[in-house]
Amino acid sequence: MPISALLARIRTLVPKNRDPHYDEIVRSFGVGSLRPPPTPMSDGELARAIAEFLKDTPSTESVATLGRRLDPSTPL
């Protein structure tokens, strides 16, 4: 799945008042600290991963947690 399509799905799950979180997700894909999942995630799986990410401030640690949810093989 192209990152642009994944970001479009993520954008629907991140409320506008949580834009710093979305901006951090976009930045992390850009610098390579996040990678798309090797196999497509269901909307439910993605929603759970994003909800977990939104619980914390958009920090390196929360990005790493999201990265592990998106791609469990990632060394983050």
Side-chain angles (χ1 to χ4, degrees):
M1 168 182 289
I3 290 177
S4 59
L6 180 59
L7 287 173
R9 287 177 65 204
I10 290 171
R11 175 74 269 182
T12 65
L13 299 170
V14 178
K16 292 288 185 194
N17 63 346
R18 296 311 250 319
D19 276 344
H21 286 79
Y22 180 74
D23 293 342
E24 184 61 23
I25 292 170
V26 172
R27 188 194 72 73
S28 296
F29 275 117
V31 299
S33 57
L34 284 179
R35 290 184 294 279
T39 57
M41 298 175 82
S42 71
D43 286 348
E45 290 171 319
L46 184 58
R48 283 188 296 280
I50 296 300
E52 186 176 298
F53 174 73
L54 293 175
K55 289 179 185 175
D56 296 320
T57 57
S59 64
T60 302
E61 184 177 313
S62 62
V63 169
T65 299
L66 178 61
R68 286 189 298 274
R69 293 289 302 271
L70 291 175
D71 183 359
S73 68
T74 188
L76 293 175

